[in-house]
Amino acid sequence: MWDSESESVTGRDYGNGILSSSKQGVKTDGFEQRDRSWYVATDIPSDFLVQVGDVNFHLHKYPLLSRSGKMNRLIYESRDLDLNKVALDDLPGGPEAFELAARFCYGIAVDLTAANISGLRCAAEYLEMTEDLEEGNLIFKTEAFLSYVVLSSWRDSILVLKSSEKFSPWAENLQIVRRCSESIAWKACAKPKGIRWVYTGKPPKVSSPKWNEMKDSSPGRNSQVPPDWWFEDVSILRIDHFVRVITAIKVKGMRFELIGAAIMHYAGKWLPGLITDGAGFIDEASNSSNSNSNSSGGISWKGGFHMIVAGTKDDTPKVQAKDQRMIIESLISIIPPQKDSVSCSFLLRLLRMAIMLKVAPALVTELEKRVGMQFEQATLEDLLIPSYNKNETLFDVDLVQRLLEHFLVQEQTEISSPSRRSFSDKHMYDGTQRGANTSAKMRVARLVDSYLTEVSKDRNLSLTKFQVLAEALPESARTCDDGLYRAIDSYLKAHPTLSEHERKRLCRVMDCQKLSIDACVHAAQNERLPLRVVVQVLFSEQVKISNSLANSTLKESSEALYQPVISNRKTLLEGTPQSFQEGWATAKKDINTLKFELETVKSKYLELQNDMDNLQRQFDKMTNKKQTSAWTAGWKKLSRFTKMTNLENNEIGSQVAAPEEQTRKTPRRWRNSIS
């Protein structure tokens, strides 16, 4: 079956002589062409004219009626036996296919090839050239050629499937597309070891070379066959036929990594936007597929097993926007459901084109979920998707928010999904999965911080969108908030008109205790931050410095118990590296500077607090004076008068009681003196 590819199609003697090995080429032994008309080279004048498009065929009734049921019906159902003209404008294959069918009717040899068999088979069906009229009619001949010659050859199957694009829906109804797709899928999934393949490393633009030339360039039977040998040939197909081939390959059980790589290769060829934005998709697909194959020692062969039918990469097809939309929708529907079947970069670029070309919302949502499955693999460049709504921000922040939500939902689903493992395996898996999820969240957190830093320069970005995206991840996803602080500082630079309340609200998304020393130093000198945030940063910085000093002291004391005692200070300094000594001196200076700045800020804070209290007291006095009236003044005077009379009575009573107490105490004093 595989050796049939080495044979020339025109060299086969097939059938009863009608499909002989003799080549007709451009010569027409029984036909002559004059301008746009064909004539039969015979002494009998033609009595029947057939118009196919803008080409006229001057023929005879009897050869056509003896083999074409369509011609019989057109003549006899017209009830005009003298009918001598028929128009066949809807004939599949056009004038070329009808010329071959007419030659067959006149018994002239016809060369069947992979290039003309599809159109001729459809034309035979249209003309109803069945076995009921004559044994061995054209339908039987073309079906036999398809089954025994075309489907046994990789090259012919690709060519016939490609040529069938012009004959829809005839080729679909006659099962030509299905049979060629299954044949291609079977050969792509088969192990090609030890088989002579027809291949080209870089497919030429010229016509197919002779078999002797291909035989010399073919690899030996022991050569390593790359798994992506079929990518280039399949990528020349139209999208609907490509989908049929990929669907058949899935049924055969090919690895999902190879299927995803083939889809990426096809998209890179048919979607110019993906090529211009990221030209590495074809190489990436090839590398991902080659990485799965076992490399043999000493063999480095970069030429793929690509058929002669494949064109070069320079032959990038020009596709209209409507066709691009159909290609994207079809590719989304056939991407394997496994997580790493295609790269996240490819999915994001496909998503960008899908939004730009206004693909169906359901498919866009499906693509967003696929991106969320492997969101930790995304890059900042791929995330910067423009907002195609003129009233929105420069970048589509809402899209990134949805992608992040899909990622979190997927992570939660993986954690809560039940497993059928044993008890020990389950606990081991849970620990590994938990660690992987934490690592993925940390990567996503760094990615989101970088994205916020980039989009925060947009003046149209609202504070709410920034805050919602920054707070979407859990606190455990960020071990350090330096990236988030950088994004906040960039947002404050681009939005200088924010109020004090809005700046406090913005800084609330950041945890000052998770800032590094460098970030704390920068924040302490940042005039755009609220004063309260600066105080928190300085306080957390002082706590970190104290903890680090305490830890270093404890470490030194613990190490001293196990290390030999150094004799003197000079030996200690000699044993310490010079860079460490200089760094420690610089650190001491920085610590003292930070302490001084902290004390300065504290004193300023106290002064501001005192000034605030004084202003509050003055304000209270002013309000009390404004609220006084004549009645209140009279009542105040009366209360003062009563207080004064009560005080005088108390003083008189105390003066009268004083002598009595003195007379009582006198004998006591005398008794004490006697004793």
Side-chain angles (χ1 to χ4, degrees):
M1 179 179 291
W2 297 93
D3 292 336
S4 62
E5 290 178 328
S6 63
E7 300 175 5
S8 175
V9 176
T10 57
R12 299 183 184 92
D13 187 7
Y14 191 84
N16 58 358
I18 301 301
L19 302 175
S20 64
S21 60
S22 60
K23 292 186 177 181
Q24 301 296 331
V26 182
K27 298 179 181 180
T28 54
D29 295 338
F31 282 77
E32 295 178 356
Q33 185 178 11
R34 303 170 189 171
D35 296 331
R36 301 294 296 172
S37 300
W38 285 90
Y39 295 88
V40 181
T42 180
D43 297 336
I44 303 174
S46 62
D47 59 352
F48 195 63
L49 176 64
V50 180
Q51 291 181 342
V52 182
D54 57 347
V55 180
N56 297 325
F57 291 87
H58 299 271
L59 307 175
H60 302 83
K61 285 185 181 180
Y62 177 74
L64 297 178
L65 296 178
S66 63
R67 302 206 177 191
S68 174
K70 177 83 170 179
M71 293 297 181
N72 278 293
R73 287 192 297 105
L74 289 177
I75 293 176
Y76 292 110
E77 290 179 2
S78 65
R79 297 180 181 179
D80 185 7
L81 298 179
D82 296 331
L83 181 66
N84 58 5
K85 182 178 180 181
V86 173
L88 303 176
D89 294 330
D90 55 347
L91 176 73
E96 294 81 7
F98 184 78
E99 178 196 350
L100 297 177
R103 288 175 180 274
F104 179 82
C105 292
Y106 278 90
I108 302 174
V110 177
D111 292 334
L112 295 183
T113 64
N116 62 22
I117 187 61
S118 182
L120 188 58
R121 173 66 182 88
C122 296
E125 189 71 21
Y126 177 87
L127 295 173
E128 301 175 11
M129 303 175 72
T130 62
E131 295 294 294
D132 297 336
L133 297 175
E134 184 175 344
E135 186 178 356
N137 210 342
L138 188 57
I139 290 180
F140 174 79
K141 298 288 186 179
T142 53
E143 273 294 327
F145 186 83
L146 279 171
S147 300
Y148 296 105
V149 178
V150 171
L151 298 182
S152 63
S153 168
W154 168 270
R155 174 183 179 275
D156 292 346
S157 299
I158 292 287
L159 283 175
V160 170
L161 189 57
K162 180 65 179 176
S163 63
S164 299
E165 297 173 358
K166 300 178 293 184
F167 310 125
S168 298
W170 285 91
E172 188 73 34
N173 296 333
L174 295 174
Q175 304 296 320
I176 297 176
V177 174
R178 181 188 62 80
R179 288 182 288 175
C180 289
S181 300
E182 292 181 353
S183 173
I184 294 169
W186 185 87
K187 293 176 177 60
C189 296
K191 294 181 180 180
K193 185 177 180 180
I195 299 171
R196 287 189 182 275
W197 289 87
V198 183
Y199 76 94
T200 54
K202 291 184 178 180
K205 293 183 179 180
V206 297
S207 60
S208 302
K210 297 180 179 180
W211 168 241
N212 295 332
E213 299 174 0
M214 293 188 294
K215 186 175 181 180
D216 296 337
S217 62
S218 300
R221 293 180 178 266
N222 297 325
S223 300
Q224 181 69 23
V225 178
D228 63 339
W229 63 267
W230 52 277
F231 286 5
E232 187 66 27
D233 292 329
V234 173
S235 65
I236 70 172
L237 301 175
R238 200 173 62 187
I239 182 60
D240 54 341
H241 294 169
F242 177 77
V243 170
R244 294 289 296 269
V245 171
I246 293 297
T247 304
I249 288 176
K250 285 183 180 180
V251 174
K252 303 296 181 183
M254 180 173 283
R255 299 197 310 270
F256 64 88
E257 299 94 342
L258 281 177
I259 296 176
I263 293 173
M264 293 168 60
H265 186 92
Y266 186 90
K269 186 170 184 177
W270 288 87
L271 299 176
L274 290 177
I275 297 176
T276 55
D277 292 341
F281 277 145
I282 296 178
D283 296 335
E284 181 182 353
S286 179
N287 293 335
S288 64
S289 61
N290 288 334
S291 62
N292 296 324
S293 63
N294 297 325
S295 60
S296 59
I299 295 177
S300 176
W301 182 54
K302 297 182 179 179
F305 279 69
H306 303 180
M307 301 302 108
I308 306 299
V309 297
T312 61
K313 294 181 181 179
D314 298 333
D315 299 335
T316 303
K318 296 181 180 179
V319 188
Q320 301 297 328
K322 182 179 179 181
D323 298 330
Q324 288 186 3
R325 188 186 308 114
M326 183 176 63
I327 290 173
I328 292 174
E329 292 177 350
S330 301
L331 292 181
I332 294 174
S333 62
I334 62 174
I335 294 177
Q338 287 79 3
K339 182 176 180 179
D340 295 324
S341 57
V342 293
S343 66
C344 186
S345 178
F346 169 76
L347 291 174
L348 283 170
R349 291 176 183 269
L350 197 65
L351 179 60
R352 174 186 294 186
M353 291 196 67
I355 296 173
M356 180 179 64
L357 297 174
K358 297 181 180 180
V359 173
L363 293 175
V364 173
T365 303
E366 181 65 24
L367 192 56
E368 291 176 358
K369 292 180 180 179
R370 292 301 309 270
V371 175
M373 290 174 58
Q374 47 199 102
F375 193 56
E376 70 277 5
Q377 303 173 8
T379 60
L380 178 61
E381 181 183 359
D382 296 329
L383 272 186
L384 294 175
I385 299 176
S387 178
Y388 296 100
N389 189 351
K390 297 181 180 179
N391 298 326
E392 292 293 332
T393 56
L394 180 62
F395 297 104
D396 198 343
V397 182
D398 295 333
L399 172 63
V400 178
Q401 176 69 28
R402 294 195 300 270
L403 297 179
L404 187 56
E405 291 175 356
H406 291 313
F407 168 76
L408 295 174
V409 170
Q410 180 67 24
E411 291 290 317
Q412 189 64 30
T413 303
E414 291 180 358
I415 294 174
S416 60
S417 60
S419 59
R420 299 181 180 179
R421 299 175 180 85
S422 62
F423 183 78
S424 58
D425 294 341
K426 182 178 180 181
H427 281 273
M428 185 181 299
Y429 172 80
D430 291 343
T432 306
Q433 187 70 17
R434 193 179 298 110
N437 292 339
T438 304
S439 177
K441 287 181 181 179
M442 292 174 63
R443 289 195 297 270
V444 170
R446 290 192 293 268
L447 178 64
V448 170
D449 293 345
S450 301
Y451 180 80
L452 287 173
T453 304
E454 191 67 27
V455 301
S456 61
K457 302 172 185 177
D458 185 8
R459 295 182 179 272
N460 295 327
L461 179 63
S462 63
L463 177 61
T464 303
K465 286 187 177 181
F466 185 95
Q467 187 177 6
V468 169
L469 186 57
E471 294 178 345
L473 287 168
E475 295 181 0
S476 59
R478 292 185 178 93
T479 57
C480 180
D481 278 6
D482 286 4
L484 195 55
Y485 166 71
R486 194 178 299 110
I488 291 173
D489 184 48
S490 178
Y491 189 87
L492 291 174
K493 285 181 182 179
H495 301 79
T497 59
L498 290 178
S499 63
E500 183 72 14
H501 174 70
E502 290 175 337
R503 287 191 292 145
K504 289 181 179 179
R505 176 184 164 192
L506 176 64
C507 295
R508 202 175 294 136
V509 303
M510 175 183 62
D511 189 359
C512 298
Q513 296 181 359
K514 292 184 179 181
L515 295 178
S516 63
I517 298 295
D518 295 336
C520 289
V521 172
H522 186 277
Q525 302 173 358
N526 195 344
E527 298 178 354
R528 291 178 291 272
L529 296 178
L531 181 60
R532 183 176 181 180
V533 177
V534 175
V535 173
Q536 291 178 356
V537 169
L538 292 173
F539 178 75
S540 62
E541 184 181 8
Q542 188 178 17
V543 171
K544 287 180 182 179
I545 293 173
S546 301
N547 293 336
S548 62
L549 290 175
N551 293 333
S552 62
T553 304
L554 291 174
K555 186 177 181 181
E556 290 176 358
S557 61
S558 61
E559 290 178 353
L561 297 175
Y562 300 98
Q563 293 179 354
V565 180
I566 301 175
S567 59
N568 50 21
R569 186 172 181 272
K570 183 178 180 181
T571 309
L572 178 63
L573 292 175
E574 291 177 354
T576 305
Q578 185 67 24
S579 59
F580 181 79
Q581 295 178 16
E582 294 175 357
W584 179 247
T586 305
K588 280 186 176 181
K589 290 181 182 180
D590 294 340
I591 291 171
N592 293 331
T593 303
L594 292 174
K595 286 183 178 179
F596 177 75
E597 291 179 355
L598 181 61
E599 294 297 332
T600 304
V601 173
K602 285 183 178 180
S603 61
K604 289 182 180 180
Y605 182 76
L606 293 175
E607 290 177 2
L608 291 173
Q609 190 67 29
N610 292 331
D611 294 341
M612 185 65 185
D613 294 339
N614 293 332
L615 291 174
Q616 187 67 31
R617 283 195 292 270
Q618 292 179 7
F619 180 74
D620 293 340
K621 287 180 180 180
M622 293 175 64
T623 54
N624 291 333
K625 287 181 180 180
K626 291 180 181 179
Q627 291 178 358
T628 57
S629 61
W631 286 98
T632 56
W635 283 107
K636 286 182 178 180
K637 289 181 180 180
L638 182 60
S639 61
R640 290 176 183 173
F641 178 75
T642 53
K643 288 180 181 179
M644 291 175 63
T645 54
N646 291 332
L647 290 173
E648 291 177 356
N649 293 333
N650 292 333
E651 290 178 356
I652 294 172
S654 62
Q655 291 177 1
V656 173
E660 294 179 357
E661 291 178 358
Q662 289 178 0
T663 56
R664 292 176 185 173
K665 293 180 180 179
T666 302
R668 185 177 181 182
R669 290 178 182 174
W670 179 75
R671 283 197 298 270
N672 291 336
S673 62
I674 293 300
S675 62

